[in-house]
Amino acid sequence: MVPSLLFEIMLIGLLGIGSQWVAWRYRMPAIVVMSITGLLAGPIFGFLNPEEDFGSLYSPIISVAVAIILFEGSLNLSFKELRGLGKPVFRISTVGAFIAWILGSLTAHYIAGLSWAVAFVIGGLFIVTGPTVIMPLLRQSKLKARPAKILKWEGIIVDPIGALLAVFAFEIITFLTGSEPDVAQLLLFFAASIFAAIFGWACGRGIGWMFETGHIPEFLKSPAVVIVVIMCFTVADEIVHETGLLSVTAMGITLANMGISSISDMRHFKENISILLISTIFIMLTASLQLETLLHIFSPNIIGYVLLMMFLVRPLSIFLSTIGTSLTFNEKALVGWIAPRGIVALTVSGYFAGVLSEQGYEDAQILTTLTFGLVFFTVVAHGFSIGWLSKKLHLSMEGRPGAMIVGANRFTVELAKSLSKADFPVIIVDSSWEKLRPVREAGINFYHGNILSEQTEYNLDTIPYEYLLAATDDHAFNSLVCTTFMPEYGRTNVFKISPFDQFSGDSVNVVSRVGGRILFDKKFTMEDLLDKLDHHYVFRQTTLTSQYNYKQYLADKDDATVFLYLIKPSGQLKFYSEEMRTVPAVGDRIVSLTPPNKEKAKIQAKLETQRNGQSKENR
C-alpha cells in the first residue's frame, strides 16, 4: 500500500499520464494501456485501492470528473457538423438505443441469468459508449469524417440516455413491485429529467450571455465554466440520480451552438482537463476492482453475454436503426462494431448494484463483474481492431503524413508537386481564386476559403494532414494561423515561412516567436524562395548511402541550397526547420531546392557534343 493519500494522488496521476504517453509512443490504444495499468497497480499487485483509501470522497470525485468529461465532449457538438448525418445520428441515438436496450435486456436475462428487473436496468445502462472511451479511439484511428462524427455524437448523446434508461427501468420496477405503487414517484422522475434538460440549457444560455456581454473577464472564463458545470450537474443529480449527466450535456450543446468566439479558445483548456481526468479516473476505477471480480469475469455466462453484446446486439441495433439512411454498408459495419463501454457504465452500475441489492435482488451483486467484463473486453477488442478494420473497410485516413499548405504561390505549387511525387497527400488553401489558378492547372488538391473561417472548420477535412505550413506573403497572418492550429497539430508539426525580411528590432522577435517554427531556415524568406525559382533553381531528391553519407552530401552542396524536407525509410516526413534536431542517416532521402549547376553542366555537355559532331561533319 502507498504511504499516504497525497502520495496515492500523485501516483494515480503519474500512472494515468504515463499510460497516455506509452500509448502515444508505441501507437497503442490509450484506454487499453490505462486499463491494464490500473489492474496491475490495483487488484493484481495491490499497490492501490482508491475506493477504500478515498472513502466517502471516491464517488463524488468520479461523478464530477464524468460530468466535466461529458460536458467537454458535448462542447464539440455543433449542429453544423450534422450536415448529411442528422438522420443516421438521430436514428442511432433513439431507435438504435431502444433496440439495443431491449436486445441487451433479453441477453442479460437468458444468457447472464439475471432476473427480468435487473436485466432491464443493466440493459438500459449498457447502451452507452461515451467520450471517455470513444474520443481516445478516434484520436488513435484517424477515421474518415462521417463515421468519426457519428461515433462521437452517439457516444456523447447516448451517455445520459443510457443512464436515464437505467433509472427509468428501476423506477418502473419499483412502481410495479411495490406493495403500494406510487405514481407520484414515477412522475417525479419524468419531471426531473425535463427539468435537468431545461436547467442545462438555461446554464448554457446564461454563461454564454455573460461571456458575450463582458460580465466575466477573460481570466475567469474557464474557471467559471468549470464551476457552473459542477453546479449544473449537482443540482440536477440531487433531485434524481443520474439526471445530472443529461443536464451537463444540454449545457455543452447549447454553448457549442451559440457561436461564441471565446468558447473555441476555452475548448483546448477543456480538452487538456478532460485528458487528465480520463487518465486518472480510468486508473482509479480499475485499481479499485477486487481480484475475485476479475476471476469471475471468465465464467461462461459472462463471457457468453459479452460476446453476444459485441457480435449480435450492437451490429443488429445499428443495421436496423439505419435502414433508409445515407450510411453505406461499410460505415454501418464499422459503427456496428465499435461500441466500447467506459466510465459511465462502471460508475452507474456500481450504484445500481447497491440499490438493487437493498431492494432484495440478490443477482444484482454480479453487476460490477458483468460491467467490467463488458468494459474490458470491448475496450481491448475495439481498441486494437478499429485501425485494422477501418483500413479494410476503406474508412481510414491512415497513410503517409500529409501536409496542408496555407498560401498559393509559385513556390508552394512546386513544393506541393514534389510532395505529391513522393506520394504524400498535400492540399493548398487560399482565399483567392486567382492565386489558386496555377494550383488547379497543376492538378494539386486545393481548398478555396479562409483557413481561419468557421465555414472552413466544417467543410475542410484536415485528418489526412499531419503538418501545417503557413506560407502566405503576410507574416502576421502566418503566425496567427500557426497559433490557431498549434493545439490541433502539435508544436512540432506547425511551420511558417521566415518573417525576417520585413521586420526589424523588437517586431521581428515578436513575429518569430508567435506561432509555429521557422520553416527551412530564417535566412530564406518567401521573396528569396521565389527569387531562386526565377533563377531556375530545381527541386532535387538525394538518397544517402553508406558510400555517400550526410557529411559528403553537405560538402557537395552550394551555400545557396535550401534544404526542404527529408523522407525516412519508414515513410516518415520531416521538414527542415531552425529547431530540427534529426540528423539524416543512411537510407534517408533529402529533398532540396538547389542551383541548376548539374542541369547547366548537362546542357553545356550536350551543346559541346553537338558542336563536336557538326565540326566533324564539316570536315
Side-chain angles (χ1 to χ4, degrees), residues 310-588:
M310 293 171 61
F311 291 97
L312 179 64
V313 174
R314 170 67 178 183
L316 199 56
S317 65
I318 295 300
F319 273 91
L320 290 177
S321 64
T322 55
I323 292 174
T325 65
S326 60
L327 294 188
T328 65
F329 177 83
N330 286 0
E331 289 172 334
K332 292 179 183 180
L334 181 68
V335 174
W337 168 244
I338 302 300
R341 275 61 168 190
I343 290 175
V344 171
L346 279 173
T347 54
V348 180
S349 69
Y351 163 76
F352 280 112
V355 172
L356 288 169
S357 296
E358 291 175 1
Q359 294 285 333
Y361 297 97
E362 295 182 0
D363 54 335
Q365 295 176 358
I366 71 165
L367 286 187
T368 302
T369 303
L370 193 67
T371 305
F372 184 74
L374 186 62
V375 168
F376 185 75
F377 284 118
T378 55
V379 161
V380 172
H382 300 154
F384 280 110
S385 65
I386 186 171
W388 173 83
L389 182 62
S390 60
K391 290 179 184 177
K392 289 293 182 182
L393 296 175
H394 308 292
L395 296 174
S396 173
M397 300 301 298
E398 191 69 45
R400 286 191 155 192
M404 181 165 64
I405 305 174
V406 181
N409 51 62
R410 283 184 59 213
F411 173 75
T412 56
V413 170
E414 295 301 321
L415 178 62
K417 284 182 182 178
S418 73
L419 288 167
S420 296
K421 287 179 182 177
D423 295 326
F424 289 103
V426 62
I427 187 171
I428 295 180
V429 181
D430 203 294
S431 58
S432 170
W433 188 252
E434 179 60 28
K435 288 183 178 180
L436 285 171
R437 184 171 58 83
V439 180
R440 301 193 302 272
E441 292 174 351
I444 299 168
N445 194 18
F446 68 92
Y447 177 81
H448 177 226
N450 191 322
I451 189 66
L452 297 178
S453 74
E454 186 180 2
Q455 287 299 112
T456 300
E457 180 181 352
Y458 300 112
N459 296 329
L460 175 60
D461 183 12
T462 61
I463 293 177
Y465 313 108
E466 293 189 11
Y467 300 96
L468 183 140
L469 315 180
T472 72
D473 53 7
D474 187 337
H475 299 306
F477 181 75
N478 291 341
S479 295
L480 181 59
V481 168
C482 291
T483 301
T484 302
F485 284 90
M486 194 176 294
E488 180 179 344
Y489 282 84
R491 189 173 299 273
T492 57
N493 291 357
V494 175
F495 303 89
K496 63 184 177 185
I497 291 292
S498 174
F500 282 82
D501 62 331
Q502 296 180 3
F503 296 91
S504 61
D506 294 335
S507 298
V508 70
N509 292 326
V510 172
V511 175
S512 63
R513 291 178 183 275
V514 173
R517 299 191 293 174
I518 302 297
L519 188 61
F520 312 137
D521 192 303
K522 67 179 181 182
K523 65 183 178 183
F524 296 123
T525 65
M526 181 57 71
E527 289 75 10
D528 295 324
L529 296 171
L530 294 174
D531 182 66
K532 291 181 185 301
L533 291 179
D534 289 337
H535 287 82
H536 308 292
Y537 275 55
V538 294
F539 284 76
R540 182 175 288 120
Q541 183 178 123
T542 306
T543 303
L544 300 181
T545 65
S546 54
Q547 290 77 30
Y548 188 68
N549 58 33
Y550 190 52
K551 287 185 178 179
Q552 293 172 307
Y553 172 79
L554 291 178
D556 289 347
K557 283 298 175 186
D558 189 284
D559 290 339
T561 297
V562 183
F563 300 109
L564 303 175
Y565 58 88
L566 64 87
I567 306 169
K568 308 293 286 184
S570 62
Q572 184 181 11
L573 176 67
K574 283 186 173 293
F575 285 95
Y576 274 85
S577 73
E578 285 283 292
E579 302 172 12
M580 181 176 174
R581 294 185 177 90
T582 301
V583 177
V586 172
D588 291 351

Side-chain angles (χ1 to χ4, degrees), residues 1-5 7-8 11 41-43 45-54 287-288:
M1 297 298 289
V2 294
S4 68
L5 189 59
F7 187 87
E8 183 167 349
L11 186 58
F45 292 112
F47 295 138
L48 299 174
N49 191 341
E51 186 174 13
E52 180 181 300
D53 298 336
F54 282 79
S288 298

